[in-house]
Amino acid sequence: MRTLCGMADSFIYLVSRMGVTGTTGSLSPDLPALIRRVKGLSGNVPVAVGFGISTRQQYLAVTSVADGAVIGSQVITILNDAPAGKGAQAVEELCTKITQRKVEMGASALEYLISSAETVDSVTTASIAEDDATVTDEPGRFGVFGGQYAPEALRTCLAELEAGFQAARDNPTFWEEFRSYYPYMGRPSSLHFAERLTAHAGGANIWLKREDLNHTGSHKINNALGQILIARRLGKTEIIAETGAGQHGVATATVCAKFGLKCTIYMGAEDVRRQALNVFRIRLLGATVVPVESGSRTLRDAVNEAFRAWITRLDTTHYIIGSAIGPHPFPTMVRTFQGVIGNETKAQMADLGKKVDAVVACVGGGSNAVGMLCPFSQDSSVQLFGVEAAGDGLDSGPGRHSATLSGGSIGVLHGVRTYILQDQHGQIESTHSISAGLDYPGVGPELAYWKECNRAKFLSATDAQALQGFRLLSELEGIIPALETSHAVWGALEIAKKLGPGSNLVLCLSGRGDKDVQTVAEVLPKLGEEIGWDLRF
């Protein structure tokens, strides 16, 4: 209690009694004494009491000894029982009945509440553009997206991280140190003209930015190396991370081995099963893998557990988030370190005397996509494309795809406001993809912003279409891609056909596919028939 009271800086939510939320009954007679004790430990931080309050009598009893009352379950009950379109009115009537007062809102306040509650379909490009002038100037904001929706316990640590990142980003010495590890990372990565893939598409020239040739086999090493240099500057001695496909886990374990830091990787139990090779690689590098058995047992649950673990040892530990998600400053940090992909691409194409007409990347949380697309975002002559995981198809129902930008709505997940896959009550939906790295119900806020202002276009590829991309790149170019990247391969072929001959399209080949060969072997008997591919003896 003393620890929690010491953290609180706004108000403390005090549970009125033991039991289940929404139940009714009398308040504890010890409540006044408990409130006095809490206020004494917290230095008189306001106390709001809740758990089962639903009537005016209970409200009066609580507010006679506390600073506020929390009513939750009764609001949900009222909303569930209200006729369609009358939920807000029913809740307003409940509040008026309990408090015996009615608050009249000004027009501007009402308009704000209405616009804040709009679904994705009613948020127009015009309104986003108007917000842009004021909101995007704030650190960590991209239009209406981004932000820092984090508990008080994380605020100090996030502020320390933001200050450390900003100081490093503005310091040429830091970037000299970062670039000094290019030989270790395998940078600059090569740019490859995919001659046979181009001929197969019959459209634009297709170029491959070979992040799969980086040390550890993917683009993830760029961010892992950058963040661990920040962590060392902040005096952290332990690193934790989440991983889906295992590539970020491998990259994080690799840099921890190089710099001698303790490393713990959280990974959904289902991903542990389907990415067994990467799990073993992580352990070979001296890191600990913690299988997460809760929820869907995939990437989303691994992020949950990593945040829970981080909050218990903030003084010594840094959490290296692998994707462009999480509260500010994480999306900006990841984009900054992954931006090397797009920046190198621009320079390499310029050296060849080639104009870039389009860039393409797969999209899960968005790390390789934001790294590839962002350096071109200010050049209106370059089209930006992302390819999400449609799983069994966008029409297959909730839980059967992971196409957040194509099928999601605006909400908050893991500390950031962005597009997420959620039901009508705001509960996070399950996801599915053949690729563990794209199996996530959210996306980076900068990508969400580009969608809203029409700066980027987002396609989605089903499992079968991703398998088609996997096959074509393997057979036509002798390059076995990761299943995540395979979605972008399929998308790049479709885009190249529309761009037509003479144009140049660059595809971020974000990872190599040796980790996925077993998965492909397992699904081929089912999905292979859809694309005419049979490798059985």
Side-chain angles (χ1 to χ4, degrees):
M1 186 183 292
R2 181 175 290 104
T3 300
L4 293 173
C5 287
M7 290 178 180
D9 60 7
S10 53
F11 76 95
I12 296 171
Y13 181 6
L14 182 64
V15 176
S16 60
R17 61 177 176 278
M18 298 300 290
V20 179
T21 183
T23 60
T24 59
S26 59
L27 298 171
S28 168
D30 298 328
L31 186 60
L34 181 57
I35 290 175
R36 286 194 298 271
R37 183 183 175 200
V38 167
K39 286 203 166 191
L41 291 171
S42 69
N44 212 33
V45 171
V47 174
V49 173
F51 232 56
I53 300 172
S54 60
T55 67
R56 174 165 173 76
Q57 182 179 5
Q58 293 168 332
Y59 163 79
L60 291 173
V62 164
T63 54
S64 67
V65 292
D67 300 294
V70 178
I71 301 177
S73 297
Q74 183 64 11
V75 172
I76 300 301
T77 300
I78 291 291
L79 286 171
N80 286 337
D81 294 343
K86 299 293 184 181
Q89 180 182 340
V91 172
E92 183 181 15
E93 291 172 354
L94 169 69
C95 295
T96 299
K97 180 179 178 182
I98 289 177
T99 64
Q100 295 294 296
R101 67 178 187 269
K102 184 177 178 67
V103 178
E104 297 294 342
M105 290 187 200
S108 60
L110 186 59
E111 287 168 3
Y112 172 78
L113 290 176
I114 292 172
S115 64
S116 297
E118 283 178 337
T119 63
V120 59
D121 292 333
S122 59
V123 179
T124 65
T125 301
S127 67
I128 297 294
E130 290 170 0
D131 288 339
D132 180 29
T134 55
V135 183
T136 50
D137 288 338
E138 296 178 19
R141 287 283 183 181
F142 309 94
V144 299
F145 303 101
Q148 193 180 84
Y149 299 83
E152 287 89 343
L154 279 180
R155 291 300 178 91
T156 300
C157 186
L158 289 171
E160 175 193 39
L161 178 60
E162 181 180 5
F165 168 61
Q166 189 64 49
R169 187 170 62 173
D170 296 338
N171 187 343
T173 303
F174 172 80
W175 291 110
E176 290 175 9
E177 181 183 14
F178 181 76
R179 287 189 292 270
S180 73
Y181 294 103
Y182 274 15
Y184 178 76
M185 299 159 65
R187 302 220 70 88
S189 63
S190 64
L191 187 69
H192 168 72
F193 175 53
E195 184 176 4
R196 296 191 66 211
L197 197 66
T198 297
H200 176 84
N205 298 318
I206 299 176
W207 301 79
L208 308 177
K209 180 59 174 165
R210 298 293 305 275
E211 294 298 297
D212 61 316
L213 297 180
N214 289 350
H215 181 38
T216 73
S218 80
H219 69 290
K220 294 293 187 181
I221 190 71
N222 306 324
N223 173 59
L225 195 284
Q227 285 205 45
I228 204 167
L229 294 180
I230 298 290
R232 293 175 75 214
R233 282 173 167 243
L234 295 175
K236 306 301 181 182
T237 58
E238 181 179 352
I239 299 295
I240 61 174
E242 88 297 332
T243 195
Q247 292 297 81
H248 176 56
V250 171
T252 302
T254 296
V255 295
C256 285
K258 180 168 181 59
F259 292 106
L261 298 184
K262 181 181 178 182
C263 180
T264 305
I265 306 296
Y266 293 85
M267 191 172 188
E270 172 60 18
D271 293 338
V272 168
R273 181 196 66 79
R274 57 181 173 173
Q275 296 293 331
L277 175 60
N278 272 345
V279 173
F280 190 62
R281 291 172 72 195
I282 293 169
R283 295 179 65 192
L284 278 175
L285 291 160
T288 300
V289 178
V290 179
V292 178
E293 298 286 352
S294 59
S296 59
R297 304 161 78 234
T298 56
L299 180 57
R300 146 193 165 190
D301 310 290
V303 176
N304 289 342
E305 290 304 314
F307 268 117
R308 290 190 183 107
W310 188 32
I311 210 167
T312 64
R313 45 187 192 272
L314 296 172
D315 291 343
T316 60
T317 305
H318 174 61
Y319 175 14
I320 298 183
I321 293 183
S323 203
I325 60 171
H328 176 67
F330 282 109
T332 303
M333 288 179 65
V334 173
R335 181 248 284 156
T336 299
F337 294 128
Q338 293 295 2
V340 65
I341 304 172
N343 285 322
E344 281 185 3
T345 299
K346 291 175 73 173
Q348 289 167 326
M349 290 294 282
D351 288 343
L352 293 171
K354 303 291 184 181
K355 178 184 180 299
V356 179
D357 296 289
V359 287
V360 185
C362 65
V363 178
S367 59
N368 92 98
V370 76
M372 182 65 174
L373 274 54
C374 186
F376 294 94
S377 62
Q378 300 302 313
D379 185 348
S380 59
S381 69
V382 181
Q383 297 184 57
L384 312 182
F385 294 94
V387 186
E388 298 187 289
D392 294 337
L394 295 182
D395 298 329
S396 58
R400 300 312 306 161
H401 68 81
S402 302
T404 308
L405 289 164
S406 303
S409 56
I410 297 173
V412 174
L413 175 65
H414 293 141
V416 62
R417 189 169 194 246
T418 184
Y419 274 88
I420 58 177
L421 292 172
Q422 59 185 334
D423 64 18
Q424 60 179 332
H425 302 298
Q427 299 301 307
I428 304 302
E429 293 178 341
S430 298
T431 54
H432 163 73
S433 172
I434 190 175
S435 58
L438 303 186
D439 201 355
Y440 181 70
V443 69
E446 195 160 9
L447 295 172
Y449 172 66
W450 289 339
K451 170 188 167 65
E452 283 302 309
C453 64
N454 289 324
R455 181 61 190 94
K457 294 181 174 62
F458 295 92
L459 297 69
S460 60
T462 64
D463 288 348
Q465 289 166 336
L467 206 60
Q468 200 168 17
F470 184 93
R471 176 189 185 183
L472 287 171
L473 193 64
S474 299
E475 293 183 351
L476 296 178
E477 295 294 334
I479 300 171
I480 301 175
L483 280 171
E484 291 77 23
T485 310
S486 300
H487 290 73
V489 174
W490 177 85
L493 288 167
E494 297 300 305
I495 295 164
K497 295 172 187 176
K498 295 180 180 179
L499 289 176
S503 300
N504 290 296
L505 176 155
V506 185
L507 162 66
C508 180
L509 201 64
S510 57
R512 69 182 188 224
D514 44 346
K515 69 182 180 63
D516 292 318
V517 170
Q518 185 60 43
T519 297
V520 171
E522 291 173 0
V523 301
L524 261 183
K526 175 186 175 183
L527 295 179
E529 292 184 7
E530 294 186 34
I531 61 173
W533 194 21
D534 189 350
L535 294 181
R536 289 172 290 187
F537 289 103

